[in-house]
């Protein structure tokens, strides 16, 4: 009985990348350096432009909206928006969606504070929404985000962009844009550091501390 | 936090976190098609009101419904209370019927505390982890914590910050649970609180409160950042506390002339229901300086934050 609970606790914590102690992170193996992170974001921006035909300027091209999942997904979405504008001349709308209120494990996990939600100007009705998060793990965060989006309006389509896909999916969810695929064990932890939150960029893999 | 019975339960950190979360709820609901979050799906929230109320009860009901809880309203006049059922039996009955939270308003001070004690004792004796969460929605002349929280949220929105701001609370301090909760919460949050009232409407022991006492409203208005007007609670008065409504109004009513004494940025609050023409002049109540309807809106978000805090998460329920 204890095993699934423990697993759920681990997956939830790691997926939201809440635990970033500098010492712990330093002890880990570097997966992406600061320049790798910025190169990866630029590549995803190009892919989004290509796949959504942002620069085509066609009459029936959908409005593209980037929605970041707090906390680090929001910063990634903001950076992608800047890059997309730089490369294509078109600036997609930007929003953020806190998924805490939509989680399915609220009763079984400790209280967590809410993060910022902001619906972009013009809403998401009939838009092509790109959800942005730092790490894709069990897929439960994305499921919550899809529920949340449904309450905001009806997008034409929803795509998913993540910096790291570490596997271990518990739901049939897959990303459209992946910065780096990292096969991990469940005993490992991925830490994404971003300047906006941590003072510098980088992605690290480390063994989870024994409780 | 298991229950919300008094603002004394709230540290500055917790109170600020609750205000922040209420604002997050406001943001989360802004610009969306569906005013409904799945957060409390499957939870049952019951309001038990032994006194009449519009805004508090509706506010809790809307807050619960927007979070997908099942909300059931029980009023004393239409329940078995009118047949003489005791408070304890009513509370245990509602819990047995499936309440995860009981939101209680009662004319006796301490009623919510007493229910919380009964429920906790019941939970221990029946070997359960926890009974329902009790939220004090006003107990006699004692406390009204969610009102103080929503007032603090309104002040923070109007003034940018609460720390160091001067808030003048005017009127029937003696019978006002709103005044008591506000004084202690605002002091916790670092405000300077001034109470203005006739001597007859000040409670015994008010000197020990973290507030300054004054008797001239005109003297206190210049330099105030906010004025909180209180309702004169005639239903709790069993004697003459002031000569006449007219004299009260002349001495302690917020007239247009007095509004002009306030600084440009100062906000006017009233917990409602307001007696127009007595505590507050109609043009003042309807002026943009008045935050009365903003208080009501904030009330919904604040109560969502409180329900979220009490009904979601495991750590405190187990502890």
């Amino acid at each position: 009985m204890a095993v699934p609970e423990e697993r759920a606790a681990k997956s939830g914590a790691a997926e939201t990348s809440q635990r970033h102690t500098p010492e712990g992170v330093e002890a880990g193996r570097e997966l992406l350096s600061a320049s790798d992170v910025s190169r990866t974001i630029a590549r995803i921006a190009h892919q989004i432009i290509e796949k959504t035909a942002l620069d085509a300027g066609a009459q029936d091209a959908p409005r593209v909206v980037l929605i970041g999942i707090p906390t680090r997904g929001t910063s990634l979405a903001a950076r992608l928006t800047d890059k997309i504008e730089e490369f294509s001349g078109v600036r997609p709308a930007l929003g953020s969606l806190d998924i805490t209120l939509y989680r399915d494990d609220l009763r079984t996990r400790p209280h967590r504070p809410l993060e910022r939600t902001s619906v972009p100007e013009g809403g998401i009705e009939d838009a092509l929404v790109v959800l942005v998060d730092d790490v894709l793990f069990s897929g439960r965060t994305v499921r919550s985000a899809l529920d949340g989006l449904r309450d905001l309006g009806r997008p034409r389509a929803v795509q998913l962009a993540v910096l790291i896909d570490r596997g271990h999916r518990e739901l049939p969810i897959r990303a459209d844009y992946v910065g780096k695929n990292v096969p991990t064990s469940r005993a490992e932890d991925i830490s994404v550091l971003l300047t906006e939150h941590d003072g510098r960029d980088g992605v690290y893999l480390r063994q989870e501390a024994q409780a | 936090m298991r229950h919300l019975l008094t603002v004394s339960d709230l540290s500055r950190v917790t109170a600020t976190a609750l205000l922040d979360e209420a604002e997050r709820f406001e943001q989360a609901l802004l610009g969306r098609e569906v005013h409904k979050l799945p957060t409390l799906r499957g939870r049952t929230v019951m309001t038990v009101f032994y006194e009449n109320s519009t805004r508090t009860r509706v506010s809790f009901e809307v807050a619960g419904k927007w979070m997908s809880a099942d909300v059931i309203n029980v009023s004393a006049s239409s329940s078995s209370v009118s047949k003489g059922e005791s408070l304890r039996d009513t509370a245990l009955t509602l819990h047995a019927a499936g309440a995860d939270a009981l939101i209680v308003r009662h004319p006796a001070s301490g009623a919510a505390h007493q229910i919380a004690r009964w429920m906790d004792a019941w939970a221990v004796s029946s070997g359960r982890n926890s009974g329902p969460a009790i939220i004090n929605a006003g107990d006699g002349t004692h406390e009204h914590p969610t009102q103080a929280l929503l007032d603090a949220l309104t002040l923070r929105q109007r003034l940018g910050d609460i720390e160091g701001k001067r808030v003048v609370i005017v009127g029937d301090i003696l019978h006002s649970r709103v005044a008591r909760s506000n004084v202690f919460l605002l002091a916790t949050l670092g405000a300077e609180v001034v109470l203005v009232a006739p001597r007859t409407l000040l409670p015994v022991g008010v000197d020990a409160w973290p507030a300054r006492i004054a008797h001239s409203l005109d003297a206190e208005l210049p330099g105030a950042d906010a004025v909180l007007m209180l309702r004169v609670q005639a239903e709790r008065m069993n004697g003459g506390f002031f000569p006449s409504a007219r004299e009260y109004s002349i001495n302690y009513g917020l007239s247009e002339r007095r509004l002009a004494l306030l600084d440009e940025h100062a906000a006017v609050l009233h917990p409602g229901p307001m007696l127009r023409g007595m505590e507050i002049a109609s043009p003042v109540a309807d002026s943009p300086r008045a935050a009365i309807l903003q208080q009501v809106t904030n009330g919904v978000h604040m109560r969502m934050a409180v329900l979220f805090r009490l009904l979601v998460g495991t750590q405190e329920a187990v502890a």
Side-chain angles (χ1 to χ4, degrees):
Chain A
M1 280 303 284
V3 176
E5 278 174 25
E6 189 182 49
R7 185 176 289 176
K10 275 184 186 168
S11 70
E15 187 177 11
T16 50
S17 326
Q18 293 292 325
R19 289 171 298 155
H20 291 264
T21 55
E23 313 78 52
V25 170
E26 293 299 346
R29 180 160 68 84
E30 185 180 81
L31 293 175
L32 296 179
S33 67
S35 61
D36 292 336
V37 169
S38 82
R39 206 167 30 246
T40 306
I41 291 172
R43 179 165 55 75
I44 295 177
H46 278 297
Q47 289 172 339
I48 292 176
I49 293 168
E50 193 177 332
K51 194 162 173 178
T52 60
L54 249 180
D55 53 355
Q59 285 293 315
D60 60 344
R63 199 167 67 91
V64 176
V65 175
L66 266 60
I67 304 233
I69 300 175
T71 50
R72 286 171 183 75
T74 315
S75 312
L76 287 172
R79 292 201 206 177
L80 279 170
T81 307
D82 291 341
K83 286 288 175 205
I84 289 170
E85 185 181 24
E86 186 185 326
F87 300 146
S88 73
V90 182
R91 188 173 180 81
L94 177 65
S96 68
L97 175 64
D98 179 40
I99 53 93
T100 306
L101 298 165
Y102 291 89
R103 293 188 74 96
D104 57 8
D105 60 356
L106 283 171
R107 280 197 207 188
T108 52
R109 311 220 334 122
H111 178 88
R112 38 185 292 155
L114 301 184
E115 301 286 346
R116 172 175 278 277
T117 293
S118 64
V119 181
E121 191 84 17
I124 61 163
E125 196 67 30
D126 208 32
L128 196 162
V129 170
V130 181
L131 282 172
V132 183
D133 203 0
D134 53 353
V135 179
L136 178 58
F137 185 16
S138 66
R140 288 179 188 268
T141 298
V142 176
R143 187 219 47 92
S144 306
L146 291 171
D147 275 4
L149 279 183
R150 199 183 53 176
D151 287 352
L152 299 185
R154 185 180 183 280
R156 183 190 290 200
V158 182
Q159 298 177 349
L160 174 63
V162 297
L163 192 62
I164 303 289
D165 182 346
R166 62 167 292 192
H168 301 287
R169 215 75 81 239
E170 293 166 9
L171 295 169
I173 282 170
R174 148 187 96 66
D176 299 87
Y177 314 97
V178 179
K180 188 176 174 70
N181 278 297
V182 183
T184 57
S185 88
R186 280 197 178 265
E188 289 167 327
D189 197 10
I190 299 268
S191 295
V192 174
L193 304 188
L194 293 175
T195 315
E196 296 89 326
H197 306 278
D198 315 295
R200 64 193 178 86
D201 286 353
V203 178
Y204 293 85
L205 175 76
R206 64 188 170 95
Q207 293 297 314
E208 208 159 86
Q210 295 299 312
Chain B
M1 204 163 98
R2 275 269 303 131
H3 309 295
L4 179 61
L5 304 172
T6 157
V7 294
S8 326
D9 289 350
L10 302 173
S11 65
R12 187 163 184 165
V13 172
T14 310
T16 306
L18 278 169
L19 300 186
D20 291 343
E21 285 190 348
E23 287 195 327
R24 298 291 195 215
F25 274 106
E26 183 181 3
Q27 286 163 5
L29 292 167
L30 206 68
R32 57 166 58 221
E33 282 207 330
V34 181
H35 266 217
K36 198 100 170 160
L37 299 158
T39 318
L40 295 182
R41 209 178 52 184
R43 297 301 191 108
T44 304
V45 172
M46 298 195 190
T47 69
V48 195
F49 274 51
Y50 286 74
E51 278 184 343
N52 296 331
S53 162
T54 310
R55 68 211 82 221
T56 305
R57 193 187 59 70
V58 167
S59 180
F60 270 112
E61 182 171 356
V62 171
K65 286 188 168 166
W66 281 1
M67 295 168 86
S68 304
D70 296 306
V71 184
I72 292 162
N73 296 309
V74 180
S75 75
S77 57
S78 61
S79 67
S80 287
V81 172
S82 64
K83 302 174 188 168
E85 187 179 53
S86 76
L87 183 62
R88 181 171 183 273
D89 285 338
T90 304
L92 284 172
T93 301
L94 295 177
H95 173 50
D100 293 302
L102 289 179
I103 296 158
V104 183
R105 167 164 293 189
H106 199 281
S109 301
H113 287 74
Q114 188 56 57
I115 293 177
R117 276 194 290 271
W118 283 326
M119 288 299 150
D120 290 344
W122 175 87
V124 169
S125 67
S126 63
R128 313 229 174 164
N129 256 348
S130 59
I134 309 297
I135 300 174
N136 182 2
D139 59 334
T141 60
H142 179 229
E143 281 225 38
H144 194 350
T146 56
Q147 178 72 43
L149 283 164
L150 75 90
D151 286 342
L153 179 61
T154 310
L155 287 171
R156 195 172 79 169
Q157 287 171 351
R158 285 282 175 126
L159 306 174
D161 193 6
I162 292 177
E163 169 91 54
K165 295 290 190 288
R166 186 188 295 176
V167 182
V168 180
I169 301 181
V170 187
D172 186 357
I173 312 286
L174 174 61
H175 300 103
S176 178
R177 52 199 175 208
V178 175
R180 182 186 296 260
S181 289
N182 265 293
V183 166
F184 288 95
L185 182 66
L186 288 172
T188 300
L189 292 170
E192 176 195 348
V193 184
V194 183
L195 298 174
V196 179
R199 289 174 208 283
T200 49
L201 289 177
L202 285 171
V204 174
V206 71
D207 300 333
W209 291 14
R212 181 163 63 78
I213 317 288
H215 300 291
S216 164
L217 183 53
D218 283 349
E220 296 301 330
L221 291 179
D225 295 295
V227 187
L228 175 67
M229 303 303 297
L230 298 171
R231 186 171 64 86
V232 176
Q233 310 216 1
E235 76 275 17
R236 293 187 210 283
M237 294 184 183
N238 51 5
F241 287 89
F242 46 85
S244 70
R246 182 166 155 69
E247 186 180 316
Y248 179 89
S249 181
I250 289 169
N251 286 325
Y252 298 100
L254 192 61
S255 60
E256 284 181 277
R257 177 187 69 77
R258 288 207 167 105
L259 187 68
L261 296 176
L262 280 171
D263 291 350
E264 259 322 293
H265 73 276
V268 175
L269 279 72
H270 193 301
M274 47 182 173
L275 300 178
R276 285 172 183 259
M278 186 173 173
E279 305 130 9
I280 187 163
S282 230
V284 177
D286 296 328
S287 81
R289 309 281 287 279
I292 295 159
L293 292 176
Q294 187 182 349
Q295 286 173 275
V296 178
T297 307
N298 281 339
V300 176
H301 301 137
M302 197 68 243
R303 281 154 186 141
M304 291 176 87
V306 168
L307 288 172
F308 181 64
R309 187 53 82 113
L310 293 180
L311 292 181
V312 167
T314 53
Q315 63 197 15
E316 285 114 348
V318 174

